[in-house]
Amino acid sequence: MIIDVHGHLTAPAELYAWKAGLLSHRGAHGGKPPAISDDRLREAHFEPHPSFGNVSHFDHIDGAGVDLQLISPRPYQMMHSEQPSKIVRWFTEETNNIIHRSCELFPGRFKGVAGLPQSPDLDPAEWTAELRRTVTELGFVGALLNPDPYEGTQVPPALGDRYWYPVYEALCELDVPALIHAAGCRPPTREPYSLHFIQEETVAVWSLLSSRVLQDFPDLKIIVSHGGGAIPYQVGRFLPSGVRAGGTPYLEKLRCLWFDTCLYTKDSIELLIRVAGVDRCLFGTEKPGTGSQINPETGGWFDDIHLLVNDIDWLTEDDREAIFAKNAAGLFRL
C-alpha cells in the first residue's frame, strides 16, 4: 500500500480561465463558477500534459504504485494576496468543489485536502468556515496552510503568533492535519515561488518550535512540506541554543511535527529520516508537479520518490511500510 500525502489537483483549463476572468473584472461580474462536466474532469486526469513531462496525472501515480493520493489545490494558483477578498474566496471554494468531484469520480484513488481562502483582508477565523465545510460536508481529511498569505508583498505574522490561533482551534476541533505549504510569490520578493516554499517552510518550523503553539494545542497535527524546508538539514544550528535555553531538547521538539518526503535525492530523504525519525515521515511526491521531468542521468522521473526510499538500505520492511502508508493512515484517520 502506498499513500501519497502530497498531491495537487489536475484540473481542466476551464477552471483557470475562470480564474483569469475573476482577476480581470475583480468580481464585478459575479462569481458564478464555470460549467465543467464530469467527462471533462475525467479527461483532465488522463490527458498528457507538457508541464508533467508529456504524460498524464494517472500515468504518474500509477507508475509510482500510488494507491491513494491526497490532493489539494495547486498552491501557486491560489492567489491569496489578490483583492478583493471575495474573488479569493470564490476561487478557493470552487477549487475545493472540483477536488471533491474528482474524489467522487475516482473512488478510492483520491482524498481531498482543502485550500483555505487565506486573504489577508479576512480575519483567520473567517477562513475556517471553508475548513469546516470541506471536512464535515465533503469528507476532506486535511487542509493546506500557507504561512504567507501576502505572497511576498508584506511580512506576515509568524506561525507562532496568536493571529493563527483560530485556525489551530478549528484543526483540533475537526481532528485533521494541516500541511504547511506556501502559495505564490510576488514582487518585491527576490525569489521564485518554488524557493519561496522552502523559505516559508523553514521559517514556519522555526516559529512553531520557538513559540507556545504546540503547548497550547497539544493535539495539533502539523506536516511540513518538502522535507521541512531547511531545518532538518541545518538542525545543528539550533541544537546549541536549545541547550542554552534549557527545557525540551531541540530535536525532541522537532519530532512533534511531521514531514513529507517530497525531496528529489536519496541523500536528502535519508538525512530527513535520520533526523526526524521513521515515525515522523510521510510519503509525498507532489506527482505530477515540479519533479515530473526525466532525469537524464537515470532515465527515470526526478519525482520517483518511491525508488529513492527503496534504495535506502538500512530501512527495514516495517520502516518502509510506516513511511509509505501506516503513518499517513493513522495521522489522517484513513
Side-chain angles (χ1 to χ4, degrees), residues 91-112:
F91 183 69
T92 300
E93 290 170 357
E94 183 57 19
T95 302
N96 286 334
N97 290 339
I98 294 293
I99 290 172
H100 174 61
R101 290 177 58 196
S102 299
C103 294
E104 295 282 296
L105 288 171
F106 302 103
R109 296 307 305 274
F110 296 134
K111 287 283 188 182

Side-chain angles (χ1 to χ4, degrees), residues 159-160 162 165 168 172 205-222 246-250 252-257:
L159 290 187
R162 295 190 69 87
Y165 274 34
Y168 301 150
C172 291
V205 173
W206 169 82
S207 175
L208 288 168
L209 300 190
S210 302
S211 72
R212 285 198 48 83
V213 167
L214 298 178
Q215 289 77 45
D216 291 345
F217 299 95
D219 298 325
L220 184 63
K221 303 172 184 177
I222 296 288
T248 305
Y250 197 85
E252 189 175 329
K253 292 196 291 185
L254 185 71
R255 290 175 179 143
C256 292
L257 305 174

Side-chain angles (χ1 to χ4, degrees), residues 12-52:
E14 292 90 330
L15 178 66
Y16 301 113
W18 176 63
K19 174 191 171 184
L22 292 177
L23 288 169
S24 64
H25 61 68
R26 297 289 165 180
H29 296 172
K32 183 179 179 181
I36 300 175
S37 69
D38 285 353
D39 286 344
R40 189 70 193 93
L41 273 181
R42 287 191 191 93
E43 289 169 4
H45 289 84
F46 291 102
E47 289 173 344
H49 197 292
S51 295
F52 306 152

